[in-house]
Amino acid sequence: MDDNKKNNRNHPYARALYRAAGIKASDLDKPRIGIANSFCEANPGHVHLRELAQSVKKGVTRAGGLPLEFNVISICDGIAQGPGMHHVLPSREIIRASVETMAGAYGFDGLALMASCDKIIPGMLMAAAGLDLPAVFLTGGTMKPAHIGGKNLVASDVKEAYGAMLASKITPAQFEEIEAKTCSGAGACSMMGTACTMAIVAETIGLALPGSAVGLAMSDERRDIAERTGQAAVEAVKNGTIFSSMVTRNSLENAIRVVLAVGGSTNAVLHILALARAAGIKLGLDDFDRLGRDTPLLGKFKPNSGYTVLDFHLAGGAPTVLRALSGLIHGGERNVRGEKISDLAAGAKEPGEVIRPSSAPLSSGPGLCVLRGNLAPRGAVVKPAGIAPGMMRHKGPAVVFESEEDLTEALKGKSIRPGSVLVIRGEGPRGGPGMRELSLPAAMLVGMGLSESVAMITDGRFSGATRGPCIGHVCPEAADGGPIGVVKDQDPIEIDIPERRLHLHVPETEIERRLAFEKFHKPLNAKGFLRLYAERVSGADEGAVLE
């Protein structure tokens, strides 16, 4: 930080007020590390971060810095299912603005950013990009998987069990046990959902310490990582290691490859695009598709296999994935400690059964891919890692729903027929507003035994905990005049994932006629920040960011 800024933040009035906050004058000449803590009593992924922050502060202090903790909001996606989900993706923008505003106002020398869950990690990443300060991430770790009925269960199993109960495949008593015991304590859900996917992204691009992305939240290992994160934040300030020296186009490509290799959340597409935009790096959907063409699938994790994210951590985590992908990654990139990614990969555990070597992948195709066609001219996103082989190509009649609630009621009423293509529109960033996540009805579909005969298409999004033929992020969305807004019941829709194709089998002249005279319209009932978001948000293909 230049002398003018230092002098400004050290004026006598500021020093007097810092003293009133209990800070000694002698500490004000030390590197000031803003600790952005997303602790929240209503979010299991973040409920332990108040305690973990003490270890971060200890690390900052031991390294000769001054820790200054502040808080930002954090929403649990699972708790916010349904109407609350309108607020979840927009919260990413609030988190970004909150961190930027605090750091800008106080003139912090560096940041230690604490988060576990889906939109909080991306929001903080975007803030760090805009500030371009030395920054280190501490992800909060994961819940311990529950052991019920001889199986390891995680949060996504609760949603699928609900569908199984509705289909009378399990009893209400069995479901009650699953509901009561599965979410076992503090930490992010131990599945390859958005939370763990984005924690892996933060580590891969070099902002979190090696091996720290996942692993148990309530453990001595996590407390040790927290203390070392505080130390690393001070060292980054002393060494002048700023955000842009680590987060480059090459490091983002490394992150994309790792996400593709482990079947990560489709939400990672939104967040990496948004991060690139915040960092001034040119990146688009076509880059995901290009990188996916030669990135093998090296692992599947809950809900797409029996392995949990704890298994992923014990198998070596992100460093082992980088080792397996060594011929494809940009090994010269460096992390916050100045270590080369190639060196970290070379020192990682060898790939094995849980994280496969590139010579013996689960599939030569990627965990995520981008579809295009007359139904999604600007693209759509799907997760092949979670799809049964028989549904990689599918053609069926459209069954159109104008909201998540309409679909859920149809599922409860058991009116969905095998072979159908469910089209849920008006759930995009603008139309929702907020681009709701349709993970609950998607999980119900699995639990009811329909995921190998029914597909879902939406301009909304899905969770990393989603499996089955669920295609999201359809662009343009219905509210922006996209073709999804004029699909009618019984229109034939063809999905061809190997060929990256999503096609509405209606004559182009008819589609044009409908778009001209039957445009989708949904009243915007949003107020406050949601209305602002709806009026100014970009498309999902650009990260769904505020313009």
Side-chain angles (χ1 to χ4, degrees):
M1 183 173 291
D2 63 53
D3 289 338
N4 287 334
K5 289 185 178 179
K6 281 186 177 180
N7 290 338
N8 184 54
R9 67 180 187 159
N10 282 335
H11 61 74
Y13 189 28
R15 296 176 72 87
L17 291 167
Y18 269 124
R19 288 172 187 256
I23 296 169
K24 296 178 181 178
S26 58
D27 287 334
L28 291 174
D29 293 326
K30 297 176 180 178
R32 299 180 194 181
I33 306 300
I35 300 176
N37 188 353
S38 48
F39 160 77
C40 174
E41 290 184 341
N43 185 340
H46 292 238
V47 71
H48 62 304
L49 295 186
R50 180 162 57 185
E51 174 189 340
L52 211 54
Q54 302 311 309
S55 296
V56 177
K57 291 178 184 178
K58 185 186 295 184
V60 170
T61 302
R62 284 187 174 179
L66 172 63
L68 296 168
E69 182 183 358
F70 63 96
N71 291 92
V72 301
I73 63 170
S74 59
I75 297 174
C76 171
D77 284 43
I79 292 173
Q81 293 291 316
M85 187 58 70
H86 288 294
H87 299 270
V88 174
L89 184 58
S91 77
R92 185 188 68 182
E93 311 301 310
I94 297 172
I95 292 161
R96 173 187 182 176
S98 179
V99 175
E100 284 184 351
T101 302
M102 282 292 292
Y106 279 85
F108 296 135
D109 296 305
L111 295 169
L113 301 137
M114 301 179 62
S116 300
C117 292
D118 300 30
K119 309 307 171 290
I120 303 91
I121 295 174
M124 289 184 173
L125 283 169
M126 293 163 69
L131 292 162
D132 203 19
L133 294 170
V136 190
F137 270 74
L138 173 67
T139 50
T142 60
M143 292 182 192
K144 185 176 181 179
H147 194 70
I148 303 171
K151 297 179 180 179
N152 286 327
L153 300 186
V154 300
S156 59
D157 291 302
V158 178
K159 296 183 286 186
E160 294 185 7
Y162 180 59
M165 182 184 68
L166 291 176
S168 301
K169 293 186 175 184
I170 62 173
T171 66
Q174 288 173 313
F175 175 72
E176 184 178 352
E177 182 183 17
I178 292 170
E179 179 191 307
K181 297 180 180 178
T182 297
C183 296
S184 58
C189 303
S190 190
M191 59 196 182
M192 196 55 77
T194 309
C196 289
T197 300
M198 292 310 299
I200 292 166
V201 167
E203 180 182 332
T204 302
I205 59 180
L207 290 169
L209 299 183
S212 69
V214 290
L216 293 179
M218 303 302 290
S219 65
D220 289 339
E221 177 189 39
R222 186 61 40 182
R223 284 182 279 273
D224 175 65
I225 290 169
E227 186 170 338
R228 289 191 288 116
T229 297
Q231 293 171 335
V234 177
E235 292 303 318
V237 171
K238 292 178 178 178
N239 295 332
T241 307
I242 59 175
F243 182 93
S244 58
S245 67
M246 294 172 285
V247 182
T248 64
R249 182 181 173 88
N250 283 349
S251 69
L252 289 179
E253 288 195 355
N254 287 343
I256 291 170
R257 285 200 186 275
V258 171
V259 170
L260 295 169
V262 301
S265 169
T266 50
N267 283 318
V269 178
L270 279 178
H271 299 320
I272 292 175
L273 289 174
L275 171 58
R277 190 162 178 166
I281 298 169
K282 188 176 180 181
L283 199 71
L285 279 179
D286 287 341
D287 292 299
F288 284 82
D289 191 58
R290 172 179 57 83
L291 294 168
R293 297 284 177 171
D294 62 354
T295 302
L297 181 64
L298 304 179
K300 287 187 180 184
F301 303 91
K302 284 277 191 176
N304 301 313
S305 80
Y307 292 124
T308 69
V309 172
L310 179 58
D311 295 318
F312 172 80
H313 176 67
L314 295 174
T320 293
V321 180
L322 288 167
R323 176 170 177 166
L325 295 173
S326 59
L328 296 172
I329 63 169
H330 302 286
E333 298 301 299
R334 295 181 182 272
N335 71 0
V336 70
R337 297 195 309 201
E339 299 162 316
K340 288 177 66 174
I341 299 302
S342 58
D343 292 338
L344 293 173
K349 287 185 179 180
E350 289 188 16
E353 183 62 29
V354 178
I355 300 172
R356 306 291 286 272
S358 58
S359 59
L362 294 173
S363 168
S364 59
L368 304 175
C369 68
V370 177
L371 308 183
R372 294 186 187 273
N374 67 353
L375 190 51
R378 295 201 332 241
V381 180
V382 68
K383 184 175 180 177
I387 300 175
M391 289 298 288
M392 296 295 281
R393 288 185 170 93
H394 179 74
K395 184 177 181 180
V399 182
V400 180
F401 299 91
E402 306 298 344
S403 69
E404 176 186 357
E405 286 78 8
D406 290 346
L407 170 61
T408 301
E409 288 305 310
L411 288 168
K412 288 180 179 179
K414 303 178 183 179
S415 62
I416 304 301
R417 295 182 179 180
S420 302
V421 178
L422 312 181
V423 177
I424 309 94
R425 62 193 181 198
E427 293 289 4
R430 190 182 308 279
M435 200 178 183
R436 285 197 292 178
E437 169 186 291
L438 276 64
S439 66
L440 185 55
M444 290 169 64
L445 204 71
V446 172
M448 297 173 80
L450 293 170
S451 65
E452 296 189 18
S453 62
V454 174
M456 294 176 66
I457 299 172
T458 181
D459 51 8
R461 58 191 177 86
F462 292 102
S463 165
T466 298
R467 60 184 173 126
C470 298
I471 300 167
H473 307 203
V474 170
C475 286
E477 63 172 293
D480 274 342
I484 191 173
V486 294
V487 176
K488 295 185 177 182
D489 286 337
Q490 300 303 308
D491 282 348
I493 294 177
E494 181 182 7
I495 300 164
D496 190 330
I497 293 172
E499 296 298 323
R500 310 291 201 270
R501 189 163 177 261
L502 182 60
H503 188 74
L504 177 64
H505 279 273
V506 171
E508 293 301 319
T509 53
E510 172 61 12
I511 295 175
E512 291 172 5
R513 188 198 67 78
R514 292 183 190 178
L515 287 171
F517 297 104
E518 302 175 17
K519 289 184 178 180
F520 174 86
H521 177 70
K522 176 182 176 181
L524 179 59
N525 297 318
K527 298 178 181 179
F529 182 72
L530 273 185
R531 175 171 281 276
L532 172 67
Y533 183 85
E535 291 173 347
R536 302 184 68 88
V537 69
S538 72
D541 57 325
E542 296 179 327
V545 298
L546 279 181
E547 299 285 11

